[in-house]
Amino acid sequence: MLIDSHTHLDHCREDTGILVSDAAAAGVGVIIQSGIDLGRSQRSVAMAEQFPQVFATVGFHPQEAGLLTDEGQAGLEALAAHPRVVGIGETGFDFFHDNWPHDVQEDVFVYHLDLARRFGLPVVIHTRDAAERTLAVLETHAADVTVVLHCFSLPERLTEIVERGYYISFAGNVTYKNAVALQEAAAATPAGLLLLETDAPWLTPVALRGRPNRPALVAQTYEFVAALRGTTVDDLAAQVEENVLRAFPRVAAAMAGTYGFAAGGAAGAGAAQ
Ligand SMILES: [Zn+2]
């Protein structure tokens, strides 16, 4: 079974049901849908209730950080208790778009880390042009939280990140010709920390670059990264699945039977393609 560890079905143009069934046909048995504000986090949870393959993370993206009100916090806390909510985020810093003062972004980031700790959930990190401050905040505030670096972009900090035990999720941009540093990082990441994602509708893998991304296309990133690491797609898929179940305990709990489909079962039938 393939897993898309980070996506935005609600930003894709196509119908969610079609995207999910196309993904299933490509062997994708789990899709982790990321919220970026309260409304989209609520929609993410609704999708996770509707489709057994879909799980949600809830939070305010750093580009939306300044919009997090007391009401938003109460809303996130209500969602965090939901069994289909498997992580907090995406959160972090975005100094590229720079929509909000850095102190505001930091307050909201730290709030998410506290929320993750209180609910025993992993935190999904977005970081752009902010490596130093992201790693500093995580060092101070995330000692006892599972950290997932989504759309990994810090190959120059790989050693330190591996030492800290953060999960490292590569998106479709790892397949781009000029992404040499990222490709070296994807080859060097310890097997037990490696995740793969689409971040759809963005970052379409190179073969279809220019068209919108979709969860089914994570299969291309699996093929590319398996070749980089000198392994098979099946072995890579088994490793990533193990990592997702460890990093996201509520996915493991759901797949242990609550929602009626088991790891390695029917949902995995297409993974060998
Ligand atoms: Zn995202």
Side-chain angles (χ1 to χ4, degrees):
M1 177 181 69
L2 308 182
I3 294 177
D4 181 355
S5 78
H6 185 105
T7 200
H8 300 273
L9 294 163
D10 53 324
H11 285 87
C12 296
R13 281 218 199 133
E14 273 180 281
D15 176 72
T16 301
I18 291 171
L19 292 166
V20 172
S21 61
D22 283 1
V28 181
V30 168
I31 295 168
I32 300 181
Q33 154 69 29
S34 180
I36 61 158
D37 60 19
L38 183 60
R40 287 182 183 273
S41 293
Q42 289 165 336
R43 281 174 66 188
S44 299
V45 176
M47 289 174 180
E49 287 176 330
Q50 189 178 356
F51 300 102
Q53 299 95 326
V54 177
F55 297 89
T57 70
V58 300
F60 278 64
H61 190 289
Q63 284 176 251
E64 316 295 330
L67 303 176
L68 178 59
T69 58
D70 288 350
E71 189 190 345
Q73 292 190 5
L76 288 182
E77 284 165 40
L79 293 176
H82 192 292
R84 303 293 293 180
V85 171
V86 299
I88 301 299
E90 54 190 290
T91 182
F93 286 121
D94 194 318
F95 297 167
F96 176 78
H97 293 99
D98 232 7
N99 289 2
W100 304 97
H102 297 179
D103 288 347
V104 171
Q105 294 190 38
E106 179 162 330
D107 286 348
V108 170
F109 186 7
V110 170
Y111 165 77
H112 282 75
L113 294 171
D114 288 340
L115 186 62
R117 180 181 305 101
R118 275 191 278 144
F119 283 87
L121 291 168
V123 69
V124 176
I125 304 298
H126 170 106
T127 179
R128 191 148 180 205
D129 290 357
E132 205 59 54
R133 195 150 167 188
T134 300
L135 292 173
V137 166
L138 288 173
E139 185 168 36
T140 308
H141 296 277
D144 46 358
V145 176
T146 298
V147 172
V148 176
L149 299 178
H150 121 76
C151 188
F152 186 63
S153 63
L154 307 176
E156 71 285 358
R157 308 297 291 266
L158 183 69
T159 306
E160 177 184 356
I161 285 162
V162 167
E163 277 169 11
R164 294 192 194 188
Y166 297 165
Y167 289 90
I168 299 170
S169 184
F170 291 91
N173 55 331
V174 74
T175 68
Y176 298 168
K177 267 203 183 78
N178 61 358
V180 178
L182 217 45
Q183 291 160 7
E184 287 170 359
T189 295
L193 296 178
L194 181 67
L195 305 178
L196 298 175
E197 64 173 73
T198 56
D199 204 19
W202 301 287
L203 300 174
T204 308
V206 66
L208 292 170
R209 198 172 178 184
R211 294 169 58 180
N213 203 357
R214 50 199 288 143
L217 300 183
V218 81
Q220 298 189 7
T221 303
Y222 272 80
E223 278 177 29
F224 187 91
V225 171
L228 270 182
R229 295 174 64 87
T231 185
T232 64
V233 170
D234 278 354
D235 284 352
L236 179 62
Q239 180 67 61
V240 170
E241 180 177 337
E242 196 183 304
N243 297 344
V244 168
L245 299 182
R246 193 185 324 109
F248 297 90
R250 285 190 189 167
V251 175
M255 296 195 52
T258 317
Y259 291 89
F261 75 115
Q273 289 168 2

